[in-house]
Amino acid sequence: MTKTRLVRPTRRGFLAGTAAAVAAPAIISGTRAYAQSKTLKIGFVSPKTGPLAGFAEADDYVLEGIRKTFAGGLENNGSSWNVEIITRDSQSNPNRAAEVAADLILGEEVDIMLAAATPDTTNPVADQCEINEVPCITTDAPWQPYFFGRNGNPAEGFQSTYHFFWGLEDVIGVFLDMWGQSGVAKNVGGLFPNDADGNAWGDAQLGMPPALAGAGYNLVDPGRYQPLSDDFSNQIATFRDAGCEIVTGVMIPPDFGTFWSQAAQQGFAPKVVTVGKALLFPTVIDSYGDRADGLTSEVWWSPHHPFASSLDGTTAKDLAGGYTAATGRPWTQPIGFKHALFEVAADVIKRADDLEDYEAITAAIAATKLDTIVGAVDWSNGPVKNVSKTPLVGGQWQKEGDTFDLKIVANSAQPDIPLTGELKLI
C-alpha cells in the first residue's frame, strides 16, 4: 500500500537551513509496506530539555499511560490498528523543532504529528507538516502567536495543521479580572521578549496594549528584550519611575528569575505580579523561595477543572493525583493538555474514513467534536479556521506551610471552574 505526500527535495538540504527558511516542496511518492496487523505512527515533539523543559516535565508519565491505553490497538472501519508513538526533543529551540519534525515526516513517515509547548515548538513543527501535508495537532501556545506567527490568513486558514488552546483575549481578560480585585494603581509595567510570544502579547494592535488601555490601565512598555537576558535594570528603573504597582508580561522561567531577583536587589516592590509562562510550574516557583508567595498567572488546567478523559473517564483530579502518586512531584498544568492531545488523536484515528489517506485523516481532525480532560475541542466554532479554544482562569501561588499551592482566584469568564482561594497582594 502506498501513500503520496509532499516532501522536501532532500532531508540533508532541509537540515542545512533554519525553521524560518522553508522552500517550496517537491512532490515525490513514498511507500510503506504494511504487515497484516497495520501500524499507525504518531510523532510527538516537545521541549524535554532547555529553558522550556518545564512544559515537558510530565511527558513520560502521560506517555506511559497513553501507551498502556493504546496497547490493544485502536479500531477503525472494522480493523484494528497498532499505534506507535515516536517522540523527539525540540531542546527548546525552534530550529531543532523543525529538524526533528522533518525527520519524523521524512525518516519515520509518521501518519499524524502532535506537538506542544509554546510557539517555539508548535510553529516550526506545524510549518513542516503544512509543507508536507502531514496531519498535525498542536497545543500549549496561545492561538494568536500560533496562527499569526505562521502568517495565517483568517479567511483561508491552514490545510493540514490544527491547534487547540486559549487566546490572548482570554489571558488578558483573566489578568484584568485579578487586577480588578486588587485595588492597586492602574500603572502596569510590561515585560515582553523578542520572540513569538512576546511580540504577540506586546503587539500594539492585537496584543495587550489596546485591551489594557480600553480598561483604563496605563501600560509602560520599555520595548522588547532578548530572551535569556542577564540585566533588567533599565526595565526596573522605568517601572519604578512610572509608579508601576503591577508587572505583567510573558517570560521564560530563567528570565523571570533574573528580573525578580534584580527587582529585590534594586528595591522595586510591585504589589501584583502577573506573568504568563514563567509562573506555571511548581518546580520553578519553589526555586524562587519565599518571594514566590503571591505571584499570579493564568491557569489552563488544574485538578479542580470539571472535565474527564474521553479515553477512560479519568477525571482531572485523578490524573493530577496519579502523577503525584507516581512521581512524588506536584501536579503541573501541561499534564492535562498532553493527555488531551492523544485523546484527540485517538478520536481521529477511530473516525477517519481511510487511515492510509492523509486527506482523510485531516478531514477527521477538522470534524472533531470531543469533550476532553481540558474541555471541548471543536474546530467548527473557533475564532479563526484551524483553531479551537479551551477555557482559562486565573491563579495565585500562596504558601501553605513549607509548600506553595496554586489557588484559582479569578473565574469570571469560566464560572463552571470553581474558585479555590482569594487574591492577596504581594
Side-chain angles (χ1 to χ4, degrees):
M1 300 180 183
T2 65
K3 294 184 181 181
T4 301
R5 66 171 77 192
L6 292 173
V7 298
R8 305 259 324 171
T10 67
R11 181 175 163 213
R12 181 181 298 276
F14 166 78
L15 296 177
T18 67
V22 177
I27 302 176
I28 66 173
S29 291
T31 63
R32 184 187 336 170
Y34 288 97
Q36 231 175 356
S37 181
K38 301 174 183 178
T39 297
L40 184 134
K41 293 184 177 182
I42 297 177
F44 175 60
V45 181
S46 70
K48 290 280 289 180
T49 58
L52 300 176
F55 283 88
E57 176 185 340
D59 280 8
D60 291 343
Y61 173 77
V62 173
L63 286 167
E64 181 182 4
I66 293 297
R67 287 186 168 113
K68 288 179 180 177
T69 300
F70 290 177
L74 296 177
E75 293 293 319
N76 173 272
N77 292 324
S79 298
S80 179
W81 286 70
N82 296 324
V83 178
E84 179 183 0
I85 301 169
I86 308 171
T87 65
R88 292 289 186 271
D89 178 12
S90 72
Q91 300 176 3
S92 301
N93 184 303
N95 293 339
R96 174 68 178 175
E99 291 176 6
V100 298
D103 178 56
L104 287 168
I105 293 167
L106 305 180
E108 299 291 348
E109 295 189 350
V110 296
D111 300 280
I112 301 173
M113 185 80 78
L114 308 180
T118 83
D120 287 337
T121 308
T122 61
N123 290 18
V125 172
D127 283 344
Q128 288 307 305
C129 290
E130 188 73 10
I131 288 170
N132 291 291
E133 298 184 357
V134 172
C136 177
I137 308 166
T138 54
T139 192
D140 289 12
W143 72 260
Q144 286 93 339
Y146 164 84
F147 190 86
F148 295 113
R150 299 177 55 217
N151 298 315
N153 181 338
E156 299 176 0
F158 298 106
Q159 177 179 330
S160 303
T161 52
Y162 290 77
H163 187 77
F164 64 95
F165 209 55
W166 43 265
L168 297 184
E169 69 279 17
D170 304 303
V171 76
I172 292 168
V174 163
F175 285 10
L176 291 174
D177 191 359
M178 290 192 285
W179 300 346
Q181 301 176 39
S182 71
V184 303
K186 292 189 172 183
N187 286 336
V188 183
L191 291 165
F192 305 110
N194 185 24
D195 62 14
D197 264 337
N199 291 325
W201 286 51
D203 187 88
Q205 282 75 46
L206 300 173
M208 296 188 82
L212 266 56
Y217 288 81
N218 173 43
L219 178 65
V220 179
D221 182 356
R224 305 297 160 263
Y225 70 85
Q226 288 305 117
L228 297 177
S229 175
D230 60 3
D231 186 3
F232 287 91
S233 298
N234 290 337
Q235 290 89 341
I236 291 168
T238 299
F239 298 160
R240 186 194 304 113
D241 292 346
C244 294
E245 294 190 344
I246 301 172
V247 170
T248 194
V250 57
M251 310 176 78
I252 59 176
D255 286 346
F256 179 79
T258 301
F259 164 78
W260 199 222
S261 176
Q262 292 177 356
Q265 294 166 6
Q266 297 172 34
F268 175 54
K271 296 179 180 179
V272 179
V273 175
T274 310
V275 173
K277 192 157 63 176
L279 307 181
L280 297 173
F281 310 119
T283 52
V284 173
I285 292 298
D286 286 342
S287 73
Y288 300 148
D290 288 342
R291 280 180 51 76
D293 193 24
L295 297 175
T296 49
S297 184
E298 73 276 18
V299 179
W300 347 319
W301 183 83
S302 79
H304 309 287
H305 280 52
F307 308 126
S309 170
S310 60
L311 292 174
D312 56 13
T314 298
T315 65
K317 181 179 180 180
D318 290 341
L319 184 63
Y323 173 75
T324 298
T327 66
R329 297 193 294 267
W331 64 271
T332 182
Q333 295 190 44
I335 295 173
F337 278 83
K338 298 294 176 58
H339 183 93
L341 265 179
F342 289 95
E343 286 186 71
V344 177
D347 180 64
V348 166
I349 291 167
K350 294 172 183 177
R351 290 185 294 103
D353 288 340
D354 183 354
L355 289 177
E356 295 172 309
D357 181 348
Y358 295 110
E359 291 184 0
I361 296 174
T362 300
I365 296 174
T368 297
K369 296 182 187 296
L370 185 67
D371 290 330
T372 76
I373 205 160
V374 300
V377 176
D378 180 353
W379 280 288
S380 69
N381 61 2
V384 293
K385 292 181 178 180
N386 305 85
V387 169
S388 176
K389 292 214 304 180
T390 53
L392 189 69
V393 292
Q396 183 174 50
W397 292 99
Q398 297 181 5
K399 194 164 188 180
E400 296 183 342
D402 295 330
T403 62
F404 289 97
D405 187 34
L406 182 60
K407 304 289 189 182
I408 297 175
V409 298
N411 69 346
S412 294
Q414 303 291 338
D416 290 343
I417 300 172
L419 296 176
T420 62
E422 295 182 359
L423 183 78
K424 65 178 185 179
L425 299 183
I426 295 175

